[in-house]
Amino acid sequence: MGIGFYIIGLLLFGSLNTLTTKVQFQIKSVGRDGEEKYFQKPWFEAIVMFLGMTTIIFFYWYKLSKQKPTNPDALSQGLIDGEQKKPSAWKVSLYIIAPAACDLLASCLCFIGLLYTTASVWQMLRGSMIVFSAILSVIFLKRKLYAFHWVGVSLCSAAIVMVGYASMKSDNGMPEEDFSQEVMGMGLIIIGQLIQASQIILEEALLKNINADPLQIVGMEGVWGSILLVFVGMPMLYWLPGKDGGHVEDSIDTLIMIKNSTTLQAIIFFYWVSILTYNVSGMMVTQSLSGVVRCMLEAARTACIWLVDLFVFYYITPNFGEHWDNWSYLQLFGFFTLVTGTAIYSNVIQLPGFEYPVSVAPQHKVDESKFVSPSLVLMMSPNLPPKKPKTDYQSLSADHDTPTVEFYSVSVPGKDKGNRDF
């Protein structure tokens, strides 16, 4: 299949992931108490998401079946690198528990936040992960942030503030309780992105240490996430007191509501399919195209979600989607600021007078998807900043996981080049 097919799948199903999740929260069904109510079950949404990720493990096994193993243990250990020994499947599984736990908590917080915000605001606030991942990469991975990185991070931060402020002012006439819930929802989304950034840092370290296939890692994160939720999370949520029939989330009520609504069943199934398709498309796009294209596709995905929401509200039913008002212009400006900040951060837009890292030689080009966090790939987020350069710029780094880099500056005629790296 051509790369264009995967790009269409990424945009289409990536947009539908968010939209179908929001639609599920707005569908009514009869619960265990015999009353009709909204299906607001964010933790169940996380289970469906992890089950979709789990299915990717079958694609990994299919990929292995097409390989010609160089030793009898190849099928159980994964693809043979030739230079770095593959770890056992059990070792990979153990390494993935911590990232899976981060993904579980972050996803659930974001789903809860989506209950109280629009789909477009939810998608844009997720851009805060760039800010958190950049800062955490400096602290824990000893990456180097250059001046252009800081410009991108600053613009993304300003965009998040604009989008959040526009959303609050747009709904300024709502009851105080609903307004407080919206603020809480946006806060949970941002906290979720901080945890998601932590997951990316863990995965970056994981890939460096064990050389596992990205499909295997994503699939095993799905397996662990499902296990943790089904056997630990959901029972705990059932016994803890809350507003869902006396529980934080009533799993029995969830199953009854699904049973009583064929519409809900269809949307949940379609959501599961879209998760699987989006993940596979994201992997294929990353293996074929650069992280730069990935960032632009994520911007297009956000725009698609917003346009569909507006179309549904004005041309299908006002019960779904979102309306346009005067504060939407500020949100639109925030969106363009977020796209610009992301483009500067990921080196799509180069600023005059700033220093940029580049690969040393064409023969040192490597498959980008092997050296980035799979979650970074699937969330269409830009790569983390480069490692601090070695003294010898003309050879590969000793750990062999990333080419060393040299630097150039984008100069402006008539102006001196300054040392603007941090």
Side-chain angles (χ1 to χ4, degrees):
M1 297 182 183
I3 188 61
F5 177 83
Y6 291 114
I7 291 176
I8 293 173
L10 188 148
L11 289 175
L12 175 62
F13 291 101
S15 301
L16 288 175
N17 282 346
T18 301
L19 294 170
T20 52
T21 302
K22 185 64 176 179
V23 168
Q24 286 178 62
F25 292 154
Q26 295 175 301
I27 289 180
K28 289 185 176 181
S29 181
V30 178
R32 66 187 297 189
D33 56 2
E35 297 182 1
E36 190 178 55
K37 55 187 176 182
Y38 289 108
F39 186 77
Q40 297 184 340
K41 308 284 187 176
W43 294 88
F44 175 79
E45 290 295 317
I47 290 180
V48 179
M49 184 195 75
F50 280 116
L51 289 176
M53 292 171 61
T54 299
T55 313
I56 293 180
I57 202 71
F58 295 105
F59 286 85
Y60 170 68
W61 290 339
Y62 175 77
K63 181 179 178 180
L64 288 183
S65 70
K66 294 299 182 181
Q67 299 283 329
K68 292 183 178 181
T70 57
N71 63 63
D73 297 325
L75 289 176
S76 62
Q77 293 182 348
L79 303 179
I80 300 301
D81 185 86
E83 295 181 357
Q84 185 174 355
K85 184 179 178 181
K86 277 289 189 177
S88 67
W90 282 107
K91 185 176 181 179
V92 173
S93 299
L94 291 176
Y95 268 92
I96 292 172
I97 294 178
C102 288
D103 196 8
L104 188 159
L105 182 57
S107 299
C108 291
L109 289 175
C110 289
F111 284 144
I112 295 172
L114 184 58
L115 287 172
Y116 308 111
T117 61
T118 62
S120 66
V121 170
W122 184 80
Q123 188 67 29
M124 292 180 198
L125 290 179
R126 295 183 71 193
S128 60
M129 190 184 68
I130 294 176
V131 179
F132 296 127
S133 61
I135 295 173
L136 291 178
S137 69
V138 173
I139 298 174
F140 296 104
L141 299 181
K142 308 304 179 185
R143 300 296 175 90
K144 185 178 181 65
L145 281 182
Y146 296 88
F148 75 93
H149 284 129
W150 286 113
V151 172
V153 166
S154 299
L155 287 175
C156 289
S157 301
I160 298 304
V161 173
M162 284 187 279
V163 170
Y165 183 75
S167 179
M168 289 188 293
K169 297 299 291 185
S170 176
D171 299 320
N172 202 23
M174 67 169 55
E176 183 177 349
E177 181 180 357
D178 293 341
F179 179 78
S180 299
Q181 288 180 337
E182 182 181 17
V183 174
M184 178 193 70
M186 290 189 290
L188 289 175
I189 294 170
I190 293 175
I191 294 173
Q193 294 313 292
L194 172 59
I195 299 173
Q196 204 98 63
S198 303
Q199 176 194 351
I200 288 171
I201 300 303
L202 285 171
E203 287 183 348
E204 287 278 342
L206 171 68
L207 282 178
K208 174 183 176 181
N209 293 331
I210 69 170
N211 187 31
D213 190 283
L215 289 174
Q216 182 186 16
I217 292 178
V218 173
M220 288 307 302
E221 282 185 2
V223 171
W224 276 116
S226 301
I227 291 174
L228 290 173
L229 263 178
V230 172
F231 295 103
V232 179
M234 298 308 290
M236 184 182 301
L237 295 170
Y238 183 83
W239 291 110
L240 289 174
K243 296 181 178 180
D244 187 13
H247 314 274
V248 173
E249 184 162 313
D250 189 342
S251 302
I252 298 176
D253 182 63
T254 299
L255 297 176
I256 293 175
M257 291 183 72
I258 295 172
K259 176 178 176 294
N260 290 335
S261 175
T262 54
T263 301
L264 189 56
Q265 295 169 17
I267 293 177
I268 291 173
F269 176 76
F270 191 72
Y271 173 67
W272 174 79
V273 172
S274 70
I275 286 287
L276 170 62
T277 309
Y278 172 68
N279 287 342
V280 173
S281 298
M283 287 293 182
M284 295 301 103
V285 168
T286 301
Q287 291 174 0
S288 304
L289 301 175
S290 67
V292 170
V293 178
R294 195 168 70 231
C295 296
M296 295 302 99
L297 289 175
E298 178 63 6
R301 175 191 175 196
T302 302
C304 288
I305 291 172
W306 198 2
L307 290 173
V308 170
D309 252 8
L310 291 169
F311 179 82
V312 169
F313 182 86
Y314 285 105
Y315 294 100
I316 299 179
T317 172
N319 295 326
F320 297 98
E322 57 184 288
H323 67 285
W324 182 277
D325 59 20
N326 291 333
W327 288 103
S328 298
Y329 292 102
L330 179 59
Q331 182 180 343
L332 180 62
F333 183 71
F335 167 67
F336 283 119
T337 303
L338 180 63
V339 173
T340 303
T342 303
I344 291 174
Y345 178 89
S346 54
N347 201 6
V348 178
I349 297 176
Q350 294 189 346
L351 302 175
F354 284 74
E355 195 172 50
Y356 289 85
V358 293
S359 298
V360 295
Q363 63 267 30
H364 291 156
K365 295 290 185 181
V366 292
D367 179 6
E368 180 186 66
S369 64
K370 290 178 63 179
F371 301 106
V372 296
S373 154
S375 294
L376 198 77
V377 171
L378 296 179
M379 288 179 281
M380 296 293 108
S381 184
N383 292 343
L384 295 178
K387 291 184 177 181
K388 293 182 179 180
K390 304 287 184 180
T391 303
D392 180 11
Y393 293 149
Q394 303 303 320
S395 62
L396 287 176
S397 58
D399 53 16
H400 300 293
D401 63 343
T402 304
T404 56
V405 294
E406 62 183 6
F407 308 95
Y408 67 91
S409 295
V410 181
S411 60
V412 179
K415 293 187 178 181
D416 295 331
K417 291 187 294 183
N419 184 11
R420 299 183 180 227
D421 62 312
F422 289 83

